[in-house]
Amino acid sequence: MQFKHQHAAHCESGVMSSMCTNHGLVLSEAMVFGLSNALSFVYLPFVKIGGMPLVAYRSMPKSIIKGLQKNIGMKMKVEKFSNPEQGGKRLDELLAQGKIVGAQTSVFWLPYFPEEMRFHFNAHNLMIVDKTNDTYTISDPVFEHLVESDSKSLLKARFVKGVMAPKGALYYPTFVPESIDYQKVLPKCIKKTAKTMLKTPVPIAGLKGMHTLARHIRRLEKKDEHSNKLFLGNIIRMQEEIGTGGAGFRFIYASFLQESGELINNQDLIKASQMMTATGDAWREFALLIAKSIRSKNKKAIDYQAIAEKLESVADLEKKVYTFLLQAF
Amino acid sequence: MMEINDVPQDAISTYAENKKAVYATDKNGQYAVVSSSGWDVEEEVTKQALTELQRQADLAYQAVVSGSKSPLYYHMYAQRMDVTVLAQSMGMFKWRVKRHLQPDTFKSLSAGMFARYSDALGLDVEQLKKLPELKY
């Protein structure tokens, strides 16, 4: 078997990078991320996950798979199933045809995930590359090496019900272009991301979303400290823990901008990459500030104003990058 | 700048000896993917989430022992769910799951309903009907 496992920061961009590369179109994870307009910021105070409001530094699950198809003209086939039996049989058929098969799964039921990383998240992407007896060989991009699962556990992970239920979803490319017209595609994608971040009118997305979150952090002062600490900790979990490559995907995007600048020979993109790295650094300072204040050993009152101000300063830094990017072409 | 040499390698407990891929720059500012054994900050927030789940499971255990809730209440939290997630996994309204959290209603559930809960929670029916021995 020719398949080469790649270690990636994020499951969905990792899977798509691996699939394209294994089908002859070499695309880094950062390129996939940038070309699918995945960079974002969303704060949904009214959507609760495990009691915590949704905070995301990237676009919706599945949008990388969809966005990449749209922007580079590749085609994917997605199959869903009404019952696990069919879904298991179809997977084996596809593997017998020699396909590398993408699958949507729930993290909680995958046996190779250590206890510490198991949460109920139903949109985790991985690739199944082989089956021997009852054991599947899996290329899970967020793990360093190939991993394994027995068929029963994998089936369970593919057929959980609930929010973003995978319904056994399997996917594989049916058409992968030989090359990409970067001169045309890159400016379009980069401008779109910059515009979305700067100009989304609703106060829950883009820079406005960051300012809304900062305002809500200021208001925490009057509330109970235990739940405030969970609220703040959740922001940082989404930024650092959930497969982001560091600093809520800002470093991946900086890597994308650098690669883009080299590909189409645009010095402004190289400069924008450095600016984006600086925002990544600022996001990490924000994370550190929160981690220090929620530590159980910390007996001092939490300085909500300072945390909110830091977030606003990060938003201002990001604003400069996107404004600069809009003028880069 | 996050340079490769500055990428945290704090060997954090919540990675359980795994490594994650992060993006960092080399001496010339060139981006690369680097394996990291974790950052203390991430450990702090992951542990906070895990501790909160444990706290909820402990409280639930006490509530079952005291007879105010059915064993389902404990198993739900022990499997890192809440009423919302369990109801979704069962394909049921929340109010029905809430009824099943009451000891008397729970006892009178049909075998079929026990089988569904057993499947949703990944536990044997026998395990589901009682509390485990406390391991902590």
Side-chain angles (χ1 to χ4, degrees):
Chain A
M1 195 176 54
Q2 300 282 305
F3 182 81
K4 195 172 157 281
H5 176 73
Q6 280 173 239
H7 193 196
H10 183 64
C11 66
E12 197 174 334
S13 46
V15 162
M16 291 311 280
S17 161
S18 205
M19 281 204 166
C20 288
T21 304
N22 278 287
H23 282 82
L25 177 70
V26 179
L27 269 191
S28 67
E29 182 192 13
M31 259 298 146
V32 167
F33 191 82
L35 286 172
S36 54
N37 306 111
L39 191 79
S40 182
F41 182 86
V42 185
Y43 167 54
L44 301 180
F46 41 82
V47 175
K48 297 277 199 305
I49 297 176
M52 287 295 124
L54 187 147
V55 181
Y57 294 76
R58 51 153 294 185
S59 53
M60 288 284 286
K62 291 190 234 179
S63 69
I64 293 180
I65 298 172
K66 284 184 196 148
L68 195 67
Q69 291 183 75
K70 188 170 157 234
N71 293 342
I72 72 166
M74 80 182 287
K75 296 265 184 303
M76 303 285 294
K77 168 102 176 138
V78 182
E79 299 183 18
K80 290 185 178 180
F81 306 89
S82 51
N83 74 63
E85 235 167 62
Q86 279 177 8
K89 225 177 90 193
R90 182 62 181 151
L91 171 59
D92 293 350
E93 277 171 23
L94 291 168
L95 287 174
Q97 292 168 19
K99 286 202 165 61
I100 299 158
V101 189
Q104 187 188 332
T105 56
S106 157
V107 169
F108 189 82
W109 302 103
L110 292 169
Y112 57 86
F113 263 81
E115 187 109 338
E116 292 85 345
M117 297 183 187
R118 282 196 195 178
F119 296 97
H120 291 282
F121 173 66
N122 296 341
H124 181 63
N125 292 278
L126 49 79
M127 285 162 287
I128 302 135
V129 296
D130 200 7
K131 186 185 187 188
T132 322
N133 300 325
D134 191 46
T135 307
Y136 289 102
T137 304
I138 293 173
S139 172
D140 186 325
V142 301
F143 283 78
E144 237 185 330
H145 306 288
L146 288 171
V147 288
E148 288 180 344
S149 170
D150 59 285
S151 60
K152 198 176 159 223
S153 304
L154 182 62
L155 219 48
K156 173 90 186 148
R158 287 174 58 203
F159 283 92
V160 289
K161 291 181 201 150
V163 175
M164 298 187 286
K167 298 194 175 92
L170 298 174
Y171 53 90
Y172 46 89
T174 51
F175 173 75
V176 180
E178 279 172 26
S179 62
I180 297 171
D181 184 356
Y182 287 112
Q183 294 285 358
K184 215 175 111 191
V185 176
L186 286 173
K188 217 175 110 193
C189 287
I190 293 170
K191 275 192 215 165
K192 190 174 175 206
T193 295
K195 263 191 206 158
T196 311
M197 291 299 288
L198 282 173
K199 294 177 182 166
T200 300
V202 286
I204 48 165
L207 298 175
K208 287 207 177 81
M210 294 179 205
H211 285 288
T212 303
L213 178 56
R215 211 164 44 244
H216 286 190
I217 291 173
R218 277 182 213 285
R219 271 192 229 150
L220 292 177
E221 215 142 331
K222 298 181 194 92
K223 295 183 182 158
D224 135 72
E225 197 182 71
H226 179 75
S227 59
N228 285 351
K229 282 185 171 179
L230 289 170
F231 179 91
L232 293 171
N234 178 57
I235 302 171
I236 303 311
R237 274 186 73 205
M238 296 307 131
Q239 182 186 315
E240 296 296 331
E241 180 193 335
I242 314 294
T244 67
F249 299 97
R250 270 51 189 170
F251 291 141
I252 295 187
Y253 203 77
S255 176
F256 159 72
L257 290 173
Q258 183 178 66
E259 204 180 326
S260 302
E262 286 160 3
L263 271 170
I264 61 171
N265 199 14
N266 182 328
Q267 285 307 309
D268 281 349
L269 292 184
I270 307 283
K271 177 150 187 259
S273 164
Q274 289 160 358
M275 292 166 78
M276 187 54 89
T277 302
T279 70
D281 292 337
W283 277 111
R284 285 172 70 89
E285 288 161 18
F286 172 67
L288 186 61
L289 188 64
I290 287 184
K292 276 184 181 163
S293 47
I294 65 172
R295 224 161 257 173
S296 44
K297 279 174 244 157
N298 178 43
K299 295 290 176 239
K300 278 187 288 181
I302 299 174
D303 190 345
Y304 297 104
Q305 303 306 322
I307 293 170
E309 263 166 43
K310 183 69 197 176
L311 181 54
E312 283 157 349
S313 77
V314 180
D316 290 341
L317 274 180
E318 288 214 358
K319 188 176 181 184
K320 284 189 191 134
V321 190
Y322 304 126
T323 313
F324 182 78
L325 276 173
L326 286 181
Q327 298 158 354
F329 302 104
Chain B
M1 291 286 277
M2 170 120 129
E3 287 195 21
I4 290 171
N5 291 333
D6 301 332
V7 170
Q9 301 287 354
D10 297 336
I12 62 178
S13 62
T14 49
Y15 278 12
E17 321 236 322
N18 288 288
K19 286 189 173 176
K20 284 191 187 173
V22 298
Y23 284 74
T25 52
D26 67 12
K27 271 180 291 190
N28 306 315
Q30 203 68 27
Y31 263 98
V33 182
V34 187
S35 289
S36 162
S37 64
W39 186 25
D40 286 341
V41 164
E42 183 181 333
E43 185 180 38
E44 183 78 36
V45 293
T46 310
K47 268 192 170 166
Q48 181 198 36
L50 292 169
T51 308
E52 178 64 12
L53 290 166
Q54 186 64 53
R55 192 182 73 91
Q56 287 171 337
D58 289 347
L59 287 174
Y61 194 94
Q62 294 313 322
V64 180
V65 169
S66 76
S68 63
K69 295 279 182 191
S70 74
L72 183 62
Y73 189 63
Y74 168 75
H75 293 301
M76 172 177 83
Y77 284 115
Q79 292 299 78
R80 298 184 178 173
M81 295 186 181
D82 52 21
V83 174
T84 310
V85 174
L86 181 57
Q88 287 163 350
S89 311
M90 291 288 288
M92 244 182 216
F93 285 114
K94 282 206 267 187
W95 63 263
R96 270 190 90 190
V97 172
K98 280 185 190 159
R99 279 194 65 224
H100 300 163
L101 298 177
Q102 291 164 12
D104 290 340
T105 320
F106 182 73
K107 267 181 227 151
S108 60
L109 289 182
S110 69
M113 190 57 83
F114 274 118
R116 282 179 68 188
Y117 274 116
S118 142
D119 188 46
L121 290 159
L123 297 168
D124 296 339
V125 174
E126 283 317 302
Q127 278 178 295
L128 187 65
K129 286 182 178 172
K130 55 179 197 237
L131 279 179
E133 297 279 323
L134 263 199
K135 49 206 175 288
Y136 38 87

